Amino acid sequence: MFGMGRQRDELAAAMAALAEAETLTFGGVGLAGTMLPETEAYQHIEQAAADRPEQVRGQLERLLSAGSPAARVYAATLLTQLDPQAGQAAWERLRADPAPLQTATGCVLDSTTVGAYAANRLAES
């Protein structure tokens, strides 16, 4: 039973970190390939979602409304993995979001909007 409390605490900490994410990146950044705290939080939540999908899903729904721009995109990505229809609905909702979004892929930093990112994801599906 001790493990469940610890898992809940770790999930809560990961959700809190993701809620304040400043940059959207799914891997290491910079020459050293450093993992940002939001990427580590995303990966922790992704793993927790595989074990406890319903618990994680409710929290992801909240991030879609109350998280930072990067958190909203991370949440839609995770929802897509959990439930493709819910993910599609999340991307549709985010398509109208004009918030600026900072992205990073390796050493390349870029900026776009949440809406433009969502539109690209919808076009890919």
Side-chain angles (χ1 to χ4, degrees), residues 75-101:
T77 302
L78 288 163
L79 278 172
T80 301
Q81 293 172 18
L82 283 173
D83 177 349
Q85 285 183 320
Q88 182 81 8
W91 291 119
E92 289 287 346
R93 190 166 122 195
L94 292 178
R95 186 168 34 186
D97 190 332
L101 176 66

Side-chain angles (χ1 to χ4, degrees), residues 7-64:
Q7 288 176 343
R8 244 181 261 135
D9 291 346
E10 290 174 357
L11 180 58
M15 285 290 182
L18 200 64
E20 299 176 5
E22 294 181 11
T23 304
L24 179 73
T25 182
F26 294 99
V29 296
L31 292 174
T34 304
M35 292 292 258
L36 298 179
E38 47 261 66
T39 307
E40 291 176 348
Y42 169 83
Q43 291 173 347
H44 182 83
I45 295 165
E46 184 176 39
Q47 187 170 9
D51 298 331
R52 302 179 308 269
E54 290 308 314
Q55 179 185 5
V56 171
R57 184 177 178 156
Q59 294 180 47
L60 293 174
E61 294 286 350
R62 284 190 289 281
L63 279 183
L64 277 173

